[in-house]
Amino acid sequence: MMLETLIALFAAHVLADYVFQTGNMVAQKDKFLYLTLHGLIVLATAIVATGSIAAPIFVLAALHLVTDAIKSRIEESIAPHLVDQLVHLITLIAISAYAPDIWKTGMWAAAPAYVPHILLLVSGAIYATRAGGFAVGILMAPYGPEFSKDSLPGGGKMIGLLERGLIYVLVLAGLPIGIGFLVAAKSVLRFETAGDKDLAENRKRSEYVIIGTLASFGWAILVSLAILFLLAQLPALGIALPKP
């Protein structure tokens, strides 16, 4: 049952960091009150997702707090952000390996066999879209906001969410060829809107779009493949899944 435990803990992590954590909490995480509040949310989501109040759940929440406390004292950039996420994921794996029966002994043990599948699919979708948005935003922040100042308010974020969501669906549906059409469509639209800019400005804007697009697509593809791999390890439900 280690895999079911890992999936439940991953779902809790995604909910705590990308659904229930507000922008103000992220900005104020260097303050004890906000850090503690986030820790309580991590603990609550882990308890609900696993249906257990086992001691390793509390250890997980404590490790999450320590990791976030360290990161809050480091200047925000893409490298610390990725390391932070990697440490969280390693912690989830370690806790699942140490206490693999958390799911089996929790209150959801008698739940239908498809529940872990749903948890994984939903948390994977959030991680591909919302978590990817934060990662790409941090990556692009040093290049400045001037290249998106003429866009619709929030337009870039919405496009990113939609493209990562579409990639997630296409990969899980076994239709990765559709990603090529997505790239082509975005390239055509970019070309059509580039004509009224001077050469230097257009080159900078194009590089900005290309970097952001590749990062967004890359994140979504990697997360989708990881979710597809984990789905293949779960007990079969009699539904054919594409090979990862």
Side-chain angles (χ1 to χ4, degrees):
M1 288 292 179
M2 174 185 169
L3 184 55
E4 286 83 353
T5 298
L6 175 60
I7 290 170
L9 293 179
F10 174 67
H13 166 69
V14 169
L15 291 172
D17 269 12
Y18 299 107
V19 176
F20 299 123
Q21 182 173 214
T22 65
N24 188 46
M25 290 171 63
V26 174
Q28 304 284 345
K29 202 177 282 187
D30 57 335
K31 297 180 180 178
F32 179 78
L33 177 62
Y34 287 92
L35 184 64
T36 302
L37 177 59
H38 180 58
L40 291 174
I41 292 174
V42 171
L43 179 61
T45 54
I47 290 174
V48 172
T50 60
S52 172
I53 55 172
I57 299 292
F58 292 84
V59 174
L60 174 67
L63 292 174
H64 191 110
L65 271 184
V66 171
T67 303
D68 281 5
I70 294 173
K71 180 177 177 287
S72 68
R73 287 161 174 75
I74 301 173
E75 185 177 355
E76 186 76 286
S77 65
I78 189 61
H81 179 78
L82 293 178
V83 170
D84 171 74
Q85 285 303 301
L86 181 60
V87 170
H88 284 317
L89 293 177
I90 291 174
T91 302
L92 297 180
I93 294 171
I95 294 294
S96 300
Y98 176 76
D101 290 337
I102 290 178
W103 176 267
K104 183 179 179 180
T105 58
M107 64 185 298
W108 309 126
Y114 57 77
V115 170
H117 295 74
I118 294 175
L119 275 178
L120 184 58
L121 287 170
V122 173
S123 56
I126 297 171
Y127 202 68
T129 54
R130 287 272 294 166
F134 284 108
V136 173
I138 293 170
L139 173 67
M140 302 308 295
Y143 300 103
E146 62 271 15
F147 296 118
S148 58
K149 63 183 178 182
D150 298 327
S151 303
L152 292 173
K157 290 182 179 179
M158 180 57 66
I159 291 172
L161 283 172
L162 290 173
E163 69 187 16
R164 288 187 296 275
L166 283 172
I167 289 171
Y168 184 74
V169 172
L170 288 169
V171 172
L172 265 65
L175 300 170
I177 191 172
I179 299 174
F181 290 102
L182 191 59
V183 173
K186 193 168 184 180
S187 299
V188 169
L189 291 173
R190 171 69 194 126
F191 177 78
E192 289 180 350
T193 58
D196 59 344
K197 305 294 181 182
D198 61 71
L199 185 60
E201 175 74 7
N202 184 54
R203 180 174 180 178
K204 291 179 181 178
R205 191 177 294 270
S206 296
E207 290 175 349
Y208 180 87
V209 172
I210 290 170
I211 293 171
T213 298
L214 290 177
S216 181
F217 278 42
W219 178 282
I221 291 171
L222 288 175
V223 172
S224 301
L225 290 175
I227 297 300
L228 194 58
F229 173 79
L230 291 176
L231 279 172
Q233 312 311 308
L234 286 170
L237 296 177
I239 302 173
L241 292 172
K243 297 292 185 181

